[in-house]
Amino acid sequence: VRPLRLDDRSPPTAQYTWSIRSEDEGHAALVAELAPSVVALGWGVDLVAGHGHVVATAEGAPSPEGHQRWTPLPTGLNELRTPTAGTFDDLERRHQASLVRTSLAEGAPFNPPPPLAVFARQAYAHDGEAPGRRFAALTFMDPEADRFKSYDTVRRGAVAAGQFRHAAEQAALRSGRPDAEVRHLVMGHGEGTSRFLFMPLPSIEPRGSGETVGSIRRVLITSTDLQSDDVAWLARALEGHTLIDEKQQRPAAVLAEAPRSDRTVARYVAASSEWVTVTPVVLPGHDDPGGVLEQLKKKPPAAEQRKLLLRLDRRRDALLRKALRQAGFPDELVFNAHLEFRATGFMAGCDLVDRYFAPSHLAGHPRLHVKLRWRGARGEPVAVRGPICVGRGRFSGMGLFVSVP
């Protein structure tokens, strides 16, 4: 339960605004007439007074000064239930069941009413909330117990991504989608306008006065196409699906829905000006085409070492900015970003970049842990919404960033 306290204005006001068609004005007028009958919202802890009005346009509705506006958007982080066809009948069934949940007869059992089952979900975003990609999240559950199934981030993160990708491929094929479309959407083969990104999410766990990167218990799905509806479809298709350990040929995990309010998920999709990697970025090219590292091994004079290190840093910086552009970030944002990079992580729990297991096609490619600060043209912080996953391994969860609070 997350109670919400309105501010101390007199009186505190919450508005609900709907757009209506001209042929529905009669229904709207009736709703407005019934509004004074509303005396409570939610659990009814506090008395409310309802008022209804029909105005010319949504923009014409009175808006109390300083109040925050929430708009239904697919990329919004706050998700609420909304009625759909059959919701009213389901509420009526629940109400009737609640009337007979107890009895004065001796030994009569308690019959709790069934939960509401017929409803839709709508995501909402507030004014000023940074736009982001559409996403869905699922949790890995133990197939033999009611608990999370965890994967070691360093050694098993790529395995979790591979098992999930295989499950996604099977779900897409079962839905009747053409083989060529499935191969591109899930595997990246062939031509197409969008492709799924599967990001196993390491947990961010409190440790003393700080945080540490823990095991993987969740996975995030997004798409290269910002407007694609395939993400929500795939999440629905995969809920309840069993992942298979191909080596041992036994169930590895069961997928369950993760709410948008999940704290771990929220850290990866939040809007922030500062981000750090939890898995290293695989650079989109060789970082040492001139043999700088070999020259450094010969221990040249200090001045020469500084020149070589500067040359290496410039090359790596250019490759990281290339990776950001390939991930879809605009040139101005990429140009002004502040980047720090190294072989060790910026958060506790991160390991050396070479210790992370990666698919064979990524083996041998240079990797870096990165701290990313988004800045504007004047150097001001710019909040950017996640998820952020860049580099050659981004389709398998390599190069994944988490927001810094």
Side-chain angles (χ1 to χ4, degrees), residues 134 164-165 168-169 172 177 181-188 193-199 220-225 228-235 238 394-396:
R134 296 186 181 186
F164 189 84
R165 180 180 289 103
E169 181 184 19
R177 296 204 170 197
E181 180 182 349
V182 172
R183 283 198 299 272
H184 180 77
L185 271 175
V186 180
M187 309 302 293
T193 58
S194 63
R195 181 180 174 185
F196 289 124
L197 286 84
F198 306 124
M199 308 173 193
L220 199 69
I221 312 169
T222 186
S223 171
T224 55
D225 181 358
S228 174
D229 291 324
D230 288 330
V231 170
W233 161 79
L234 182 61
L238 285 173
R394 67 187 185 278
F395 295 100
S396 301

Side-chain angles (χ1 to χ4, degrees), residues 129-260:
E129 187 173 296
R133 297 178 182 272
R134 296 186 181 186
F135 70 89
L138 296 166
T139 59
F140 296 121
M141 302 300 294
D142 192 315
E144 299 179 358
D146 186 18
R147 62 189 179 195
F148 282 117
K149 165 72 175 184
S150 62
Y151 292 82
D152 181 81
T153 299
V154 177
R155 299 167 184 81
R156 301 277 295 173
V159 173
Q163 291 177 355
F164 189 84
R165 180 180 289 103
H166 178 73
E169 181 184 19
Q170 296 302 309
L173 290 173
R174 285 197 307 271
S175 71
R177 296 204 170 197
D179 288 356
E181 180 182 349
V182 172
R183 283 198 299 272
H184 180 77
L185 271 175
V186 180
M187 309 302 293
H189 301 158
E191 297 182 356
T193 58
S194 63
R195 181 180 174 185
F196 289 124
L197 286 84
F198 306 124
M199 308 173 193
L201 302 182
S203 298
I204 307 300
E205 303 167 355
R207 287 290 186 276
S209 59
E211 294 178 323
T212 188
V213 177
S215 299
I216 292 168
R217 299 179 179 88
R218 301 163 183 82
V219 62
L220 199 69
I221 312 169
T222 186
S223 171
T224 55
D225 181 358
L226 299 184
Q227 302 304 317
S228 174
D229 291 324
D230 288 330
V231 170
W233 161 79
L234 182 61
R236 291 193 300 269
L238 285 173
E239 189 173 357
H241 190 87
T242 300
L243 303 187
I244 302 297
D245 186 326
E246 293 186 359
K247 287 187 176 180
Q248 301 184 18
Q249 286 299 307
R250 62 182 182 84
V254 177
L255 298 172
E257 180 187 21
R260 285 174 174 254

Side-chain angles (χ1 to χ4, degrees), residues 274-278 346-347 370-372 400-404:
E274 184 171 338
W275 298 77
V276 295
T277 51
V278 291
F346 291 89
M347 287 187 69
V370 181
K371 178 181 285 188
L372 168 63
L400 179 62
F401 287 76
V402 69
S403 63
V404 177

Side-chain angles (χ1 to χ4, degrees), residues 2-9 12 46:
R2 293 182 175 85
L4 176 67
R5 177 182 176 180
L6 298 180
D7 58 27
D8 295 327
R9 299 174 192 273
D46 298 310

Side-chain angles (χ1 to χ4, degrees), residues 276-299:
V276 295
T277 51
V278 291
T279 56
V281 176
V282 181
L283 298 180
H286 295 292
D287 61 341
D288 188 21
V292 171
L293 293 175
E294 286 297 324
Q295 296 179 55
L296 287 170
K297 289 179 181 179
K298 298 177 182 178
K299 298 181 179 180

Side-chain angles (χ1 to χ4, degrees), residues 374-393:
W374 296 110
R375 294 294 183 266
R378 296 183 298 275
E380 73 280 9
V382 176
V384 174
R385 168 68 54 76
I388 297 177
C389 196
V390 307
R392 295 193 63 173

Side-chain angles (χ1 to χ4, degrees), residues 79-83 115-117 119-122 124:
E79 194 173 67
L80 297 175
R81 294 178 177 181
T82 60
L116 185 67
F119 54 86
R121 288 187 174 95
Q122 175 63 58
Y124 288 83

